[in-house]
Amino acid sequence: MCSPQQSGMKALSARMLTRNRSLGPGAGPRGCGEEPAPPQRGEAAAEARKSHSPVKRRRKAQRLCVAYEGSDSGKGEKAEPLKVPVWEPQDWQQQLVNIRAMRSKKDAPVDHLGTEHCYDSSAPPKVRRYQVLLSLMLSSQTKDQVTAGAMQRLRAQGLTVDSILQTDDATLGKLIYPVGFWRSKVKYIKQTSTILQQRYGGDIPASVAELVALPGVGPKMAHLAMAVAWGTVSGIAVDTHVHRIANRLGWTKKATKSTEETRTALEEWLPRELWHEINGLLVGFGQQTCLPVRPRCQACLNQALCPAAQGL
């Protein structure tokens, strides 16, 4: 049986042994009676993981390749943006084929009296272009036969910028009469000719924006001038015939009230390669078959396809 002093010594030794085991190896006194600082909670956890967990190798990062339907991911090409369907009128292609068939003889007034036939083909290029523009200015609200007659009389006097500027207003009026609004056209022709002489050296502008800035020149005339005088298709030339027929055939998404509104509506869907053809084609069709009053629907190949014909 142990004495009280021996029992106390044994209890103290047991406590110190328990403390040393909990601190781990090398946790004995460092000298000068100092005890090591107890490890922080995070450090103890890290040490425990190092001593008890097996060493893991770092895995090499892998790229995740995602292939999308319809894409050329293998080629590295950029995907094309989605195309929004463009509205187009029903049966327009068959309607166009039928109009071409009805116009195959090319015997409408526009086919031999239109702007393309009013200028002097033997004149210098600058003079030819001026005559094209002048014939277009005269043609507004005027039948092709009347315009052609006025151009013949003007050409007989020598139709150049200089000759027009040297002609007094009264004489010029007699030469172009009876074109529509002939008095206003005398004024516009003189003003435009002065601008052409001063700013363009007697030639005509080569852009729609500059052409429509001239007195008496509208968008239809500008687009036709670009096509006939400069050989450039800048837009669809829409006159009253094209405006009327486009609405009758349903070639505009909604009914249009002006020629410019019709032009914008047609250019939104009609293929660009048809822009040059469409004016002469529809003008002649409007002169012979799709008349402003009492259209000849019975003789039209589009009678069964034309919304307007169904309502007559």
Side-chain angles (χ1 to χ4, degrees):
M1 191 170 181
C2 298
S3 65
Q5 186 177 3
Q6 290 175 333
S7 299
M9 291 294 291
K10 287 182 179 180
L12 179 59
S13 298
R15 285 198 298 272
M16 291 183 66
L17 178 62
T18 302
R19 179 184 178 94
N20 289 339
R21 284 179 179 173
S22 65
L23 294 176
R30 298 184 180 183
C32 299
E34 267 185 77
E35 291 185 0
Q40 298 296 322
R41 187 175 298 175
E43 294 176 359
E47 290 294 329
R49 284 196 297 269
K50 288 181 182 178
S51 59
H52 297 290
S53 300
V55 178
K56 293 183 179 180
R57 294 182 180 179
R58 296 180 64 183
R59 283 189 174 183
K60 190 176 181 180
Q62 296 181 351
R63 290 184 179 179
L64 180 62
C65 296
V66 180
Y68 294 93
E69 185 178 358
S71 66
D72 295 331
S73 57
K75 298 180 181 180
E77 296 177 358
K78 292 183 179 180
E80 293 184 2
L82 293 175
K83 294 181 179 179
V84 180
V86 177
W87 175 90
E88 61 180 32
Q90 185 178 6
D91 301 321
W92 75 269
Q93 291 176 315
Q94 186 58 52
Q95 292 170 336
L96 182 60
V97 169
N98 291 340
I99 294 173
R100 284 173 175 160
M102 290 182 281
R103 292 277 289 113
S104 60
K105 293 182 180 180
K106 300 288 183 183
D107 54 357
V110 69
D111 296 318
H112 51 88
L113 296 173
T115 300
E116 295 90 340
H117 308 279
C118 287
Y119 63 86
D120 182 4
S121 58
S122 64
K126 188 186 296 188
V127 175
R128 289 202 304 265
R129 289 191 287 268
Y130 175 69
Q131 292 181 1
V132 167
L133 181 60
L134 224 63
S135 70
L136 289 168
M137 294 176 70
L138 294 173
S139 70
S140 176
Q141 302 295 314
T142 305
K143 291 185 177 181
D144 288 335
Q145 297 91 325
V146 177
T147 301
M151 284 297 294
Q152 285 179 348
R153 293 188 293 273
L154 288 172
R155 284 170 53 187
Q157 303 293 318
L159 184 51
T160 64
V161 171
D162 291 336
S163 67
I164 288 295
L165 291 177
Q166 292 170 8
T167 304
D168 61 82
D169 292 0
T171 302
L172 183 58
K174 291 178 181 178
L175 290 171
I176 69 173
Y177 180 85
V179 299
F181 306 100
W182 64 271
R183 289 184 179 86
S184 296
K185 289 178 181 179
V186 166
K187 179 179 64 176
Y188 293 147
I189 288 172
K190 283 293 191 72
Q191 291 174 345
T192 292
S193 298
T194 300
I195 293 171
L196 297 181
Q197 186 186 59
Q198 294 175 351
R199 300 182 188 176
Y200 300 96
D203 208 342
I204 71 172
S207 72
V208 171
E210 290 176 293
L211 284 166
V212 296
L214 297 172
V217 178
K220 181 209 78 171
M221 302 176 202
H223 289 299
L224 278 176
M226 291 297 296
V228 179
W230 292 109
T232 301
V233 178
S234 57
I236 299 175
V238 177
D239 64 356
T240 55
H241 292 292
V242 179
H243 170 68
R244 177 179 72 254
I245 295 168
N247 277 274
R248 284 180 176 177
L249 290 175
W251 281 13
T252 57
K253 195 171 184 179
K254 61 180 182 179
T256 55
K257 297 180 180 180
S258 67
T259 55
E260 265 301 275
E261 194 178 346
T262 301
R263 180 185 65 81
T264 302
L266 288 174
E267 289 180 358
E268 286 179 354
W269 67 267
L270 190 68
R272 193 177 182 89
E273 59 268 21
L274 299 177
W275 289 11
H276 179 69
E277 173 192 16
I278 210 69
N279 176 267
L281 192 69
L282 294 189
V283 168
F285 180 57
Q287 290 174 338
Q288 294 181 313
T289 306
C290 198
L291 306 175
V293 181
R294 296 179 184 178
R296 298 166 183 167
C297 297
Q298 297 298 326
C300 182
L301 297 179
N302 283 327
Q303 184 179 13
L305 302 175
C306 178
Q310 306 305 312
L312 295 176

